[in-house]
């Protein structure tokens, strides 16, 4: 009997494909493209971490680990989070090693949401947030941020978004795609509202290591917030380990136990060689992280200055490896700008509109490319904008 219906779930059918993919696909078929589109480091993982993974394979460590991850790695994560961000967790009850920060976001949402629960999502934001909330049965209530306010969540806007159904706030600092970093005072103002409304915060701090001007403040480090935070971090960005697919989530025991239930059925555990690599990255890779950070800072300063000189207003972002210049002066929508720039000058950027409210009128450019590539991209963008 021929298939006469779609077997795809309605919730999945309704999902829009990622707007970033469309530009990757367009760029993939073109010659000489400079891509400022991808959100991943151009550095290779430090050698000591790669070697540790190789060694683990040579020694035959090819089985599953504990569901929550190698205890030794969890212990190292605990001291890392304590030393760098001043939050203390228990390695046996409050940490899960995940398949990237991506899986940690999924776990957090599925562990806390009942159908209809609302999550405040601050936009522009990472493209997976809204779909992750929805796939977990929740409702994403989006709050926009604006260039005039350095793309920082405004306490008043947060208050307006909260209803009796709000369960959580999903917060990302430093931010993808704007690079905006919330300082301690910004976070304290948010924490007061979180406490008043008895919310939980899912804090995506995957870019914590890439904070250039002031140190990163972890939301969980604020007074009273550790018990209200699911802290997400990982190795992809700061440690240049995107392909290893390794992240982690820290939370109070009850929440960790809930996430672990899902993780043990859905994933079993994260990849074993990747866990050995991450263990070594934490033990000996911090100087490499510092070196990469220095390089990113230099590139950030160059690209921000260049865009402003060209006539594209561009804020100096505090962290991550993205700039988010305004393209309003060109009269194009962000989608038109990205498409024409790709066709005419073979430079790939991502239209701000794909990141949600507040993104239209901007494009995201990643500066995780070599200085030479960035210089050539700037030349081409200058030609495109000022033709
Ligand atoms: N969170 C944010 C804000 C991101 O930008 C990304 C990747 O771009 C992720 C999470 C996913 O990271 P991972 O590669 O660890 O899954």
């Amino acid at each position: 009997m021929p298939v006469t219906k779609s077997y795809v779930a309605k919730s999945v059918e309704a999902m829009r494909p990622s707007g970033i993919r469309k530009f990757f696909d367009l760029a993939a078929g073109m010659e000489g493209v400079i891509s400022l589109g991808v959100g991943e480091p151009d550095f290779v993982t430090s050698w000591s971490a790669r070697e540790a993974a190789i060694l683990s394979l040579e020694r035959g460590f090819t089985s599953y680990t504990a569901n929550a991850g190698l205890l030794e790695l969890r212990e190292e994560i605990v001291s890392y989070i304590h030393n760098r961000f001043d939050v203390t967790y228990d390695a046996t009850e409050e940490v899960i090693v995940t398949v990237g920060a991506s899986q940690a976001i999924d776990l957090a949402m599925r562990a806390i949401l009942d159908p209809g629960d609302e999550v405040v999502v601050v936009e522009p934001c990472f493209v997976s947030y809204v779909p992750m909330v929805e796939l977990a049965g929740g409702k994403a209530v989006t709050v926009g941020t604006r260039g005039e306010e350095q793309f920082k969540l405004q306490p008043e806007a947060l208050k307006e978004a909260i209803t009796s159904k709000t369960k959580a706030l999903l917060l990302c600092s430093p931010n993808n795609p704007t690079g905006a970093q919330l300082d301690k005072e910004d976070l304290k103002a948010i924490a007061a509202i979180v406490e008043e409304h008895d919310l939980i915060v899912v804090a995506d701090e995957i870019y914590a290591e890439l904070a250039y001007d002031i140190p990163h403040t972890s939301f969980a480090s604020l007074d009273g917030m550790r018990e209200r935070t699911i802290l997400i971090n990982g190795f992809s960005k700061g440690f240049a380990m995107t392909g290893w697919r390794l992240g982690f989530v820290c939370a109070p025991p009850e929440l960790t136990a809930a996430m672990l239930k899902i993780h043990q059925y859905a994933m079993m555990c994260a990849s074993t060689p990747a866990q050995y690599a991450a263990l070594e990255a934490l033990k000996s890779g911090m100087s490499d992280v510092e070196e990469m950070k220095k390089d990113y800072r230099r590139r950030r300063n160059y690209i921000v200055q260049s865009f402003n000189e060209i006539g594209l207003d561009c804020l100096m972002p505090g962290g991550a490896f993205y700039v988010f210049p305004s393209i309003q002066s060109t009269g194009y929508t962000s989608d038109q700008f990205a498409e024409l720039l790709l066709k005419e000058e073979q430079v790939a950027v991502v239209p701000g509109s794909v990141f949600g409210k507040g993104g239209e009128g901007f494009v995201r450019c990643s500066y995780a490319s070599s200085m030479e590539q960035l210089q050539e991209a700037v030349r081409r963008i200058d030609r495109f904008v000022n033709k």
Side-chain angles (χ1 to χ4, degrees), residues 303-315:
I303 202 154
V304 169
Q305 189 185 344
S306 303
F307 279 166
N308 283 309
E309 281 168 9
I310 288 173
L312 297 179
D313 282 347
C314 186
L315 291 168

Side-chain angles (χ1 to χ4, degrees), residues 40 114 273 294:
E40 67 175 329
D114 285 313
K294 260 191 225 156

Side-chain angles (χ1 to χ4, degrees), residues 118-133:
E118 292 180 0
V119 179
V120 177
V121 177
V122 186
E123 292 187 331
C125 70
F126 181 41
V127 289
S128 86
Y129 287 171
V130 172
M132 286 294 113
V133 170

